[in-house]
Amino acid sequence: MSVIQTLGEQIADKAKRSSSRPIPLPVMAGILWIALIVLVAVLADWIAPYHYTALDLPNRLSGPFQPQHWLGTDELGRDVLSRLIYSVRISVVVALGATLISAVLGTTLGFMAAHFRGAVEHFILVLVDFQAAMPFLILSLSVLAFFGSSLPLFIALMGFYGWERYARVARGLAISASAQGYAGAVRQLGATPRRIYLRHILPNVFSTLIVLMTLTFPEIILMESSLSFLGLGVQPPMTSLGNMVGYGRDYMKIAPWIMFAPAALIVMTTLSVSLLGDWLRDRLDKGLQ
Amino acid sequence: MLRYLLIRVLRAFITISLVVTFAFIVLRMSGDPAVSIMGDDASAAAMEAFRREWGLDQSIWMQYFLYIAAICHGDFGQSMRGGGSALELVLSRVPATVMLTLPALLLKVAIGIPAGIYAALHRDRTIDQGVMVAAVAGYTIPSFVLGLVLVQIFAIWVPMLPTGGTGSLPHLILPVVTLGVGGAAILARFVRSAMLEVLGQPYIRTASAKGIPWAVVVRGHALPNAAIPTVTIIGFMVGNLIAGSVVTESVFSWPGVGNLLVVSVAARDLAVVQCILLFVAVTMVLSNLVVDFLYGVLDPRLSSGNSTAGN
Amino acid sequence: MTPAILELQGISRSYATRQGLLGRKLRFRAVDEVSLSLEAGQTLALVGESGSGKSTTGRVALGLEPADHGAVRFRGTDLSQIDTASWRKLRIEMQMIFQDPLSALDRRLTILEQVREPLDIHDIGPAKEREAVASAMLASVGLHASNATKRPGQLSGGQRQRAVLARALVVQPALLVCDEPVSALDVSIQAQVVNLLTDLQASMKLSLLFISHDLKVVRQISQRVAVMYLGRIVEVGDTQAVLSNPAHPYSRALVSAVPVPGRPVGERLILDGEPPNPVARPSGCAFHPRCPFTRPDCRRFTPELTPLGDGRTVACHVVTPGKVRS
């Protein structure tokens, strides 16, 4: 119950505080980078010089810093910069979709566990423990082995990453809300469960969920990159950042730029989101003290 | 204490059962298990034998029990690619993985813990910030990127070390470093926050106010108390060894269990995949149990055998 | 005779607690065979220590928790099952206010929004007018209009409790259950809120079930009082009668602990032993281990509520000997 109180305090005071406390430089840089990435993902069709499958065989494996191909070309003459831009879009879309699926799935299950208690709650908690105990990489590799790597399936699979974290948080906050607090009071007023959860509990849980999402998002990008790197994630002709690194690896000796450009992008992006998430969590923690 | 352990064993058992059930369900859902495990071009007779052995013509519950029985016998099916028992194949790769992950674990501990302690003791000073930035970089950089960068630098531009494969000590260096860096970073951060939390406790201030030299306070009070959660996370890392090595083994073509998993997934060699899945589950669960046991021994609040304090 | 607006008959409610994961399940009776009736427009106070079951009784009376045995009747009809549509509709008639107003309010929403909410939930009146109705309610609980746009965190304890009161009363209920509503407030504010309650009761024809452990407040606000101990009612009667001349040993101990201005401090009745554990109920009369007048019968037989002749009923072997339940 005190968590909700202080969370609420934090939210209520945010308007007062946010203007007075400056954002540290690295976090600011991270935010700008993320904004850039989002922009690139959205505007891919307009800013990419070529389509990501456009071939330019005479110029294959040519180095970066040329006017025609700023980041060089790969083994099929495809423009690395364009492929990078489209990869950003695909990786971001996959990670965003997966994060949303995971958040909705986890929060819903968490609320259900808190609302129904009893056997339903036990079952969901068992699932939570299971998901938390097993390494996601191994589980997803197993599923991919059995079902193959089509994109919708892959996004759905990624959507299971981290749901247990949302479930635990949602359940905990919902339980403390219903027991003594405002949710119990509103139920007593005669509100339907739907109203209680949607109008009261969810908005109060929201800020924690957002923080969780910013923390999980880079992890999903990493997971997708790793799987694509191994050749088991996003499949050609679609291109993703991990994908590019994986296929670019074969040409490491003669054309390292094919591999480095996407690798650098992955690092910058996950670093930025991590910094942002850490900072958000720090601020939330300070509010809880 | 005994009840505490009993509960943990029960949970471990439940986790393993869930993994087995998960494997069973996924196997059934993906099509005809006979085809999945034995491959398309297995002989009809072999398929029939398989079907009978796994009870595929019987009720789903019967199949479930037969599946469990088969697994308990170590029978996961034959590897489609190489023939031979899946379990044997997996076990043959374990030494290679151990040869990689154990030094990596030592590296994580040797770097991570001192770094974390040092950062905590010099909080908010340059050293601390430096360690924290390095740590963030360490665990944010995906292992395949780090591995490839290291290969690029130390094997291609400056051809000191081999690019992959196994066979000699130089072959070991890059993979171990790649594997160790991420874990060291995580450990450093964790140890730092554990230390900070302990250092913020009133009893530390009391000890220091009593006139005890700071070094003794740290060594005698702070470190042992921070050690308890640290042991947990190291235990977690041990359990996660195989999962963590999957990508690194692929980058360096290291013939371990992780590499085998990737190759088997790509080839849809499901017998091996489910074998590795369970193998990982068992190692995780066992290492968690060991950690729980150590926790019970180390944490006096648990080992004093208080039955009046409810769990 | 006006029919009682609220009737509890033989209510029992027990809880099961579990010791740890593999421990035994223990049942204990929070409320044991409680019967009460509340007349329309009156206030019945429910008094006891923590663990006496008074809060649980209040919740069962409202229908927030199901009774294991017994019946609860509101205006003569049994309460509907919990969390059904008809149960929710009944909330318009019966409301509750709590000890901690801060936790009963949503930190994020303004006071006006929250006072308005019951009108939205039950679709009372045209939507356009609901804000005005809510504002009017705020005024009648003595909250200045400037507080309407504030959030709970920005108000004082007394103001919050008024806001909770406004929210509960905006639907014009007939019954209000107050669970220790002033215990968390400063003494000076307590008086204000209690006065407010009595005023509102008169103007809105409210019936109050007032749960408290504070006899001073009870004296001020209620016409009848019921004393509870370990889930059972030990004495019921007109407030004046019970508090000036308590019959049950427990009531006597409670009353003697509260000094009355103007009267010399009488002999204090100090109880032996510790407050009881509801799980380990003493046999017979639950009060016997601490009772200074205990007799052999007290350990063996549970006393029944028997009338004393002046409108009070008491459950005690010493006061009304011979009436036992086998």
Side-chain angles (χ1 to χ4, degrees):
Chain A
M1 188 173 76
S2 56
V3 174
I4 298 197
Q5 283 177 351
T6 40
L7 254 182
E9 264 174 317
Q10 169 74 354
I11 300 165
D13 290 320
K14 224 176 205 177
K16 281 189 279 178
R17 269 199 243 156
S18 62
S19 48
S20 53
R21 212 190 286 174
I23 306 178
L25 192 59
V27 178
M28 199 63 216
I31 296 179
L32 287 174
W33 177 265
I34 294 170
L36 178 66
I37 291 291
V38 169
L39 221 59
V40 167
V42 168
L43 299 175
D45 289 319
W46 288 278
I47 55 178
Y50 304 86
H51 192 262
Y52 62 87
T53 53
L55 304 180
D56 186 3
L57 286 168
N59 275 326
R60 48 196 290 270
L61 296 175
S62 52
F65 310 124
Q66 318 164 31
Q68 270 199 321
H69 298 283
W70 283 73
L71 287 177
T73 58
D74 67 5
E75 74 279 11
L76 289 180
R78 295 176 294 197
D79 180 36
V80 171
L81 177 63
S82 305
R83 283 178 67 78
L84 200 66
I85 292 175
Y86 278 103
S87 296
V88 165
R89 161 184 281 186
I90 292 177
S91 289
V92 165
V93 164
V94 170
L96 207 59
T99 305
L100 286 173
I101 294 176
S102 174
V104 170
L105 178 68
T107 309
T108 311
L109 283 178
F111 280 167
M112 278 173 61
H115 187 70
F116 292 109
R117 310 304 305 254
V120 172
E121 184 183 25
H122 270 117
F123 179 63
I124 293 180
L125 283 180
V126 158
L127 287 181
V128 165
D129 275 343
F130 170 67
Q131 180 84 17
M134 286 296 292
F136 189 78
L137 185 63
I138 307 279
L139 284 178
S140 48
L141 280 174
S142 312
V143 171
L144 288 171
F146 287 98
F147 292 106
S149 298
S150 72
L151 194 62
L153 177 82
F154 186 69
I155 299 185
L157 180 62
M158 291 292 106
F160 276 89
Y161 186 94
W163 71 266
E164 79 277 7
R165 308 176 195 182
Y166 303 99
R168 277 188 178 144
V169 168
R171 172 182 166 268
L173 291 179
I175 287 181
S176 59
S178 347
Q180 265 289 18
Y182 55 89
V186 175
R187 169 183 170 248
Q188 191 269 129
L189 286 174
T192 56
R194 220 190 74 197
R195 188 188 179 96
I196 299 176
Y197 278 102
L198 288 179
R199 190 162 195 257
H200 289 276
I201 299 187
L202 186 61
N204 275 298
V205 170
F206 211 58
S207 62
T208 320
L209 291 184
I210 295 286
V211 172
L212 263 184
M213 282 169 75
T214 49
L215 293 176
T216 320
F217 184 78
E219 296 181 31
I220 296 189
I221 293 192
L222 282 177
M223 178 66 48
E224 180 266 312
S225 305
S226 305
L227 285 171
S228 301
F229 167 77
L230 294 172
L232 298 166
V234 174
Q235 300 288 319
M238 300 210 80
T239 169
S240 90
L241 294 171
N243 200 319
M244 284 180 75
V245 176
Y247 288 109
R249 178 193 169 185
D250 297 330
Y251 297 90
M252 255 171 72
K253 290 205 171 104
I254 47 178
W257 54 86
I258 305 178
M259 191 191 78
F260 271 120
L265 212 85
I266 294 176
V267 171
M268 293 293 294
T269 312
T270 47
L271 198 62
S272 302
V273 185
S274 278
L275 284 174
L276 179 63
D278 271 356
W279 176 73
L280 275 179
R281 187 176 45 191
D282 264 352
R283 284 192 56 163
L284 204 69
D285 274 348
K286 288 207 175 66
L288 282 174
Q289 270 155 15
Chain B
M1 166 78 165
L2 187 64
R3 233 231 335 252
Y4 163 79
L5 278 183
L6 231 57
I7 297 175
R8 294 292 185 272
V9 170
L10 187 68
R11 285 179 93 181
F13 182 71
I14 293 178
T15 308
I16 302 238
S17 323
L18 278 176
V19 176
V20 170
T21 312
F22 173 76
F24 178 76
I25 293 176
V26 173
L27 185 61
R28 286 294 170 278
M29 273 172 65
S30 63
D32 184 355
V35 173
S36 306
I37 301 272
M38 307 212 60
D40 286 321
D41 41 313
S43 71
M47 291 253 218
E48 264 315 301
F50 182 81
R51 274 188 229 271
R52 240 176 302 118
E53 186 190 325
W54 283 46
L56 293 181
D57 46 348
Q58 303 183 35
S59 74
I60 197 87
W61 287 108
M62 204 49 208
Q63 291 183 39
Y64 186 52
F65 287 125
L66 285 175
Y67 181 71
I68 296 182
I71 287 187
C72 290
H73 278 115
D75 176 16
F76 292 89
Q78 309 284 72
S79 163
M80 245 184 338
R81 297 182 311 116
S85 151
L87 184 62
E88 276 172 23
L89 183 56
V90 172
L91 289 178
S92 71
R93 299 283 207 130
V94 169
T97 299
V98 171
M99 195 157 60
L100 186 62
T101 51
L102 224 48
L105 184 66
L106 290 172
L107 188 72
K108 291 176 196 179
V109 169
I111 295 186
I113 295 185
I117 296 177
Y118 200 73
L121 290 177
H122 301 266
R123 179 188 192 168
D124 283 338
R125 295 212 235 128
T126 331
I127 259 291
D128 176 30
Q129 296 186 349
V131 166
M132 279 305 100
V133 167
V136 171
Y139 78 79
T140 337
I141 297 182
S143 44
F144 65 91
V145 169
L146 180 63
L148 291 174
V149 166
L150 287 178
V151 166
Q152 187 73 25
I153 300 178
F154 293 104
I156 296 181
W157 287 346
V158 183
M160 291 191 327
L161 298 165
T163 55
T166 167
S168 62
L169 190 58
H171 282 104
L172 198 53
I173 297 181
L174 286 182
V176 167
V177 169
T178 307
L179 203 50
V181 163
I186 295 177
L187 201 52
R189 273 171 66 98
F190 191 82
V191 167
R192 175 183 178 272
S193 60
M195 277 293 284
L196 284 179
E197 178 158 340
V198 167
L199 288 174
Q201 297 284 335
Y203 61 83
I204 294 288
R205 254 180 309 177
T206 313
S208 159
K210 282 201 287 189
I212 303 179
W214 183 239
V216 178
V217 172
V218 168
R219 219 180 318 131
H221 290 283
L223 286 184
N225 280 296
I228 299 169
T230 308
V231 163
T232 320
I233 208 178
I234 294 182
F236 184 70
M237 283 182 168
V238 169
N240 237 3
L241 280 180
I242 298 183
S245 70
V246 168
V247 172
T248 308
E249 285 184 17
S250 297
V251 170
F252 292 95
S253 308
W254 189 270
V257 176
N259 199 342
L260 179 62
L261 179 60
V262 174
V263 168
S264 305
V265 170
R268 313 286 286 267
D269 188 354
L270 299 173
V272 176
V273 170
Q274 62 175 346
C275 180
I276 297 182
L277 178 63
L278 257 80
F279 187 75
V280 169
V282 169
T283 37
M284 280 217 61
V285 156
L286 280 180
S287 69
N288 280 341
L289 271 181
V290 169
V291 167
D292 286 335
F293 178 69
L294 279 178
Y295 212 88
V297 163
L298 287 177
D299 190 342
R301 290 172 289 186
L302 289 171
S303 61
S304 60
N306 40 6
S307 52
T308 45
N311 286 39
Chain C
M1 186 172 92
T2 27
I5 194 170
L6 181 69
E7 262 188 270
L8 277 71
Q9 282 182 349
I11 298 294
S12 296
R13 172 125 175 99
S14 44
Y15 293 106
T17 56
R18 202 197 277 269
Q19 282 182 330
L21 181 62
L22 297 173
R24 294 170 301 137
K25 235 183 178 165
L26 297 164
R27 288 203 84 86
F28 71 94
R29 281 198 153 186
V31 180
D32 188 12
E33 299 274 329
V34 163
S35 297
L36 289 174
S37 73
L38 173 62
E39 309 285 318
Q42 301 266 299
T43 304
L44 171 66
L46 208 50
V47 172
E49 342 175 277
S50 14
S52 57
K54 49 191 202 302
S55 284
T56 312
T57 307
R59 295 172 65 81
V60 171
L62 269 186
L64 291 180
E65 285 183 27
D68 296 332
H69 302 290
V72 181
R73 289 202 196 92
F74 178 75
R75 289 209 173 116
T77 20
D78 282 325
L79 288 187
S80 344
Q81 233 206 340
I82 300 181
D83 283 328
T84 53
S86 57
W87 180 86
R88 282 188 216 117
K89 282 210 65 177
L90 210 52
R91 303 297 101 207
I92 304 178
E93 313 266 6
M94 33 176 30
Q95 277 295 308
M96 186 166 187
I97 59 175
F98 317 85
Q99 180 169 3
D100 183 6
L102 186 57
S103 67
L105 292 170
D106 190 332
R107 306 285 308 250
R108 285 177 40 262
L109 302 174
T110 63
I111 298 296
L112 189 61
E113 282 173 333
Q114 301 197 54
V115 173
R116 186 203 152 129
E117 182 154 19
L119 300 173
D120 289 329
I121 292 175
H122 296 285
D123 215 10
I124 298 179
K128 290 193 293 276
E129 291 174 18
R130 287 182 195 155
E131 208 165 281
V133 172
S135 303
M137 197 68 228
L138 279 178
S140 51
V141 298
L143 274 179
H144 195 264
S146 62
N147 291 311
T149 48
K150 294 201 182 140
R151 293 195 160 75
Q154 299 166 288
L155 301 180
S156 72
Q159 287 173 320
R160 281 184 216 131
Q161 194 61 289
R162 289 172 196 261
V164 173
L165 198 51
R167 182 176 68 175
L169 295 180
V170 75
V171 290
Q172 315 262 352
L175 170 67
L176 185 67
V177 174
C178 309
D179 191 354
E180 308 260 19
V182 293
S183 310
L185 303 175
D186 292 335
V187 176
S188 50
I189 312 288
Q190 282 184 17
Q192 290 178 17
V193 176
V194 171
N195 285 334
L196 175 62
L197 273 174
T198 35
D199 289 341
L200 287 170
Q201 178 179 34
S203 61
M204 293 176 69
K205 313 261 189 305
L206 271 179
S207 313
L208 291 182
L209 180 63
F210 195 86
I211 301 170
S212 178
H213 62 268
D214 188 342
L215 290 183
K216 304 191 299 300
V217 175
V218 163
R219 189 192 300 268
Q220 196 185 341
I221 201 174
S222 63
Q223 288 86 36
R224 288 174 64 79
V225 66
V227 181
M228 283 186 76
Y229 185 79
L230 257 194
R232 291 181 67 82
I233 302 212
V234 297
E235 186 168 349
V236 189
D238 288 340
T239 309
Q240 196 47 319
V242 173
L243 291 189
S244 58
N245 191 13
H248 193 280
Y250 180 60
S251 324
R252 290 174 59 179
L254 282 181
V255 172
S256 74
V258 181
V260 179
R263 256 197 257 165
V265 178
E267 186 185 298
R268 272 207 61 180
L269 196 58
I270 308 224
L271 296 175
D272 268 335
E274 296 182 354
N277 183 354
V279 179
R281 264 189 103 79
S283 58
C285 171
F287 187 59
H288 84 256
R290 300 168 79 191
C291 183
F293 310 110
T294 224
R295 293 181 348 180
D297 269 356
C298 301
R299 207 173 311 125
R300 289 158 62 204
F301 302 112
T302 316
E304 288 270 24
L305 278 170
T306 19
L308 266 189
D310 55 356
R312 284 187 289 164
T313 49
V314 187
C316 179
H317 296 308
V318 175
V319 178
T320 51
K323 308 284 183 134
V324 297
R325 174 171 68 157
S326 51

